[in-house]
Amino acid sequence: MASFYEWQLAILVFICVGFLGLQRLLTGPAGAARHDAHEETSAGRKAASKLSRQYLLVYGLAMGADWLQGPYIYSVYKEQHGLTERLVALLFVLGFFTAGASAPAVGVWADQFGRKRMCMLFCVTYASACAIIQISYLPLLFLGRFLGGFSTAVLFSCFDSWLVSSANHLSLSSDNLATIFGHATLVNSITATLAGVASDKLVGYTRLYSSPFLASGVLLLVNLLVIRYTWAENYGGPGTSVRELLNVKRLSDAWKVVRNDVRLIALGFVQTCFEGSMYLFVFIWVPFLQEVAEPENALPLGYIFSAFMLSMTFGALFYNAIISFWITAPTSEVTSHDRTVTLHAKLSSAVCVAGALAFVVSVQSDDGHRRFWAFCAFEACVGVYYPVQGMLRGLLVPDEHRATLSSLFRVPLNVFVVVSLMTGVESARHFVLSASALLLLVAAFVTATVFHARARGPPMATLREQ
């Protein structure tokens, strides 16, 4: 059993390396020339390169710490601590509920008190959750999930908000930002692949499913120091009151921005459907593969997880290839903005359709290997989705409400996941994946319809200047 998945991992490594080499061969000289045509000054190139290094190092450490926990988050609760699957589901629910409930406050705090401070707080709270999960005491396990949920809300709203605000402050082009987002997904995928193999080795050496969490805590403490000494602080709009922990007026202003541009509503809907399906997949994939596996052979979860992450790496490489071919001679600012939004809207629809097809194949098949490859296809869609979604937020969301809106978008996402988990997904896995496929198709249709109708709409990220 293990040998099959090890071979699949090697095949995926070969595919990714081959695709990367082909991409560089085909786009190297011409792509470099087009890239140079977009760069205005040597100082601009240096600024973009420095920002990319600052962000990718921190982002890689943060995501590496998160991915170390991925393969065995289910097993540590069910196998090591001996909890029932229902209790495991409740722990997942608590994490998602906390992430959803704290999302508006996280966005407001980040805009008011600084994105850098919130990212440092993430390192502290997530490291604490990694320490708590070592203790087989149910109330503490619930506390750890609470801290983990809060940390997740920070991770997926404050880090990219810091990047986009820093890029705007440096007056970097949308092409530079797209490149950084693409590289971030690539770094995320490679880090996750290495984390999967490392977690498998740690569990094999220590015989404890919780050992990867200790390694994750160490990475988080290192990242805390990196953020402290390499990042500059940035904030949201001026004039907010730091006396209010949850600024209702700021939330109201952010919601008005969403209502004024239907594309933002579509963006939030796609995030709910795609990321909600992804988080349900995180809970389902282990038992879904186990139900068709040979009982006498334990699945090598670390290698399977690494294969998923390499698939995501392929998706990130595919996105970077599209961006490399897309960059052409300079156009007017408005035209360039519209073309970039249209491209990313089309990619958003495409990954939703492809993800839906992958889920359909996995549900229709009783073969474990076919399910494995269908899940790899879905992870490749995830590799394209994240830079696409990040780029659309960067182009459409105004800077003064960036972290607030990023957090607000996660509220319906977490509600969707909580409700799904509370209905007992462990007893209806096929239905959950089928429903997720349907939702992804609806999301693709909504995106295609809304962005086609508003293809020439005003860039919301520039309304603050009017």
Side-chain angles (χ1 to χ4, degrees):
M1 180 68 70
S3 61
F4 168 80
Y5 290 107
E6 289 170 4
W7 274 109
Q8 306 315 302
L9 184 62
I11 290 172
L12 285 167
V13 170
F14 178 78
I15 291 173
C16 289
V17 172
F19 187 84
L20 179 60
L22 181 63
Q23 176 190 340
R24 296 204 171 192
L25 178 65
L26 294 177
T27 65
R34 290 193 297 266
H35 181 71
D36 289 340
H38 276 270
E39 297 290 352
E40 296 181 357
T41 64
S42 175
R45 288 192 296 271
K46 291 180 180 178
S49 178
K50 180 180 179 181
L51 179 63
S52 180
R53 290 194 304 270
Q54 287 177 327
Y55 179 72
L56 293 179
L57 175 59
V58 168
Y59 184 75
L61 287 171
M63 296 308 299
D66 188 49
W67 290 125
L68 272 172
Q69 308 171 31
Y72 293 100
I73 183 71
Y74 179 88
S75 299
V76 74
Y77 288 131
K78 194 169 192 302
E79 305 298 335
Q80 182 170 322
H81 295 312
L83 302 182
T84 64
E85 191 161 355
R86 186 63 177 175
L87 273 177
V88 175
L90 287 175
L91 285 166
F92 273 76
V93 165
L94 176 61
F96 287 113
F97 176 80
T98 304
S102 61
V106 164
V108 172
W109 291 337
D111 288 336
Q112 290 184 356
F113 303 124
R115 284 81 183 249
K116 174 183 174 180
R117 287 191 180 93
M118 289 302 296
C119 292
M120 293 175 66
L121 179 62
F122 156 81
C123 295
V124 174
T125 56
Y126 215 15
S128 300
C130 291
I132 290 174
I133 203 172
Q134 308 297 319
I135 306 171
S136 187
Y137 181 55
L138 190 59
L140 285 181
L141 293 177
F142 275 98
L143 174 61
R145 286 305 296 168
F146 174 84
L147 292 175
F150 174 81
S151 302
T152 300
V154 178
L155 176 61
F156 291 106
S157 60
C158 297
F159 282 80
D160 64 343
S161 295
W162 180 91
L163 171 63
V164 175
S165 294
S166 298
N168 288 342
H169 178 73
L170 296 171
S171 299
L172 300 184
S173 68
S174 60
D175 293 331
N176 280 323
L177 188 58
T179 299
I180 295 176
F181 273 122
H183 289 165
T185 302
L186 183 59
V187 167
N188 180 25
S189 305
I190 295 174
T191 301
T193 302
L194 297 175
V197 175
S199 64
D200 198 80
K201 297 298 183 183
L202 282 170
V203 170
Y205 179 75
T206 62
R207 304 297 178 185
L208 289 173
Y209 290 123
S210 61
S211 57
F213 291 81
L214 288 176
S216 176
V218 172
L219 281 184
L220 290 165
L221 294 178
V222 171
N223 206 23
L224 176 66
L225 296 176
V226 175
I227 296 173
R228 170 68 177 83
Y229 291 106
T230 64
W231 277 20
E233 187 62 274
N234 61 46
Y235 302 87
T240 58
S241 171
V242 297
R243 296 179 181 178
E244 299 180 39
L245 292 180
L246 186 58
N247 193 319
V248 177
K249 183 179 184 302
R250 169 169 285 275
L251 290 175
S252 176
D253 291 342
W255 176 240
K256 288 179 182 178
V257 171
V258 174
R259 288 190 304 170
N260 288 334
D261 191 344
V262 69
R263 293 174 298 181
L264 294 180
I265 298 178
L267 202 62
F269 179 73
V270 170
Q271 181 172 346
T272 297
C273 294
F274 192 95
E275 295 185 29
S277 299
M278 182 185 68
Y279 287 130
L280 290 175
F281 168 76
V282 168
F283 183 77
I284 286 175
W285 75 266
V286 173
F288 204 76
L289 290 178
Q290 285 176 337
E291 71 181 24
V292 292
E294 298 176 2
E296 65 274 11
N297 294 321
L299 290 174
L301 300 181
Y303 282 101
I304 295 175
F305 182 81
S306 293
F308 289 166
M309 296 305 100
L310 271 177
S311 302
M312 192 165 69
T313 301
F314 176 79
L317 289 172
F318 183 72
Y319 170 81
N320 286 338
I322 293 175
I323 293 300
S324 297
F325 280 110
W326 178 257
I327 298 175
T328 57
T331 57
S332 69
E333 180 181 352
V334 174
T335 302
S336 177
H337 175 276
D338 289 341
R339 292 176 68 250
T340 304
V341 169
T342 300
L343 169 67
H344 285 79
K346 290 178 179 178
L347 288 174
S348 180
S349 292
V351 297
C352 287
V353 171
L357 292 176
F359 280 159
V360 169
V361 171
S362 68
V363 169
Q364 294 297 318
S365 176
D366 290 328
D367 180 72
H369 297 169
R370 193 171 299 169
R371 287 186 179 185
F372 165 77
W373 279 108
F375 288 164
C376 285
F378 176 73
E379 289 291 348
C381 294
V382 174
V384 179
Y385 166 82
Y386 271 116
V388 166
Q389 188 79 356
M391 191 63 188
L392 286 173
R393 283 199 301 263
L395 291 169
L396 299 176
V397 177
D399 190 51
E400 59 269 25
H401 296 295
R402 189 171 305 283
T404 302
L405 284 177
S406 295
S407 298
L408 282 177
F409 285 162
R410 297 193 66 80
V411 173
L413 162 64
N414 287 286
V415 169
F416 168 72
V417 175
V418 166
V419 171
S420 299
L421 289 175
M422 288 298 291
T423 58
V425 295
E426 72 274 8
S427 59
R429 300 182 186 111
H430 290 73
F431 173 77
V432 168
L433 288 184
S434 299
S436 295
L438 179 61
L439 283 175
L440 289 174
L441 291 176
V442 173
F445 175 77
V446 169
T447 301
T449 302
V450 170
F451 279 85
H452 176 73
R454 293 289 301 271
R456 295 291 175 179
M460 289 300 297
T462 63
L463 287 182
R464 62 183 183 279
E465 300 174 359
Q466 298 179 2

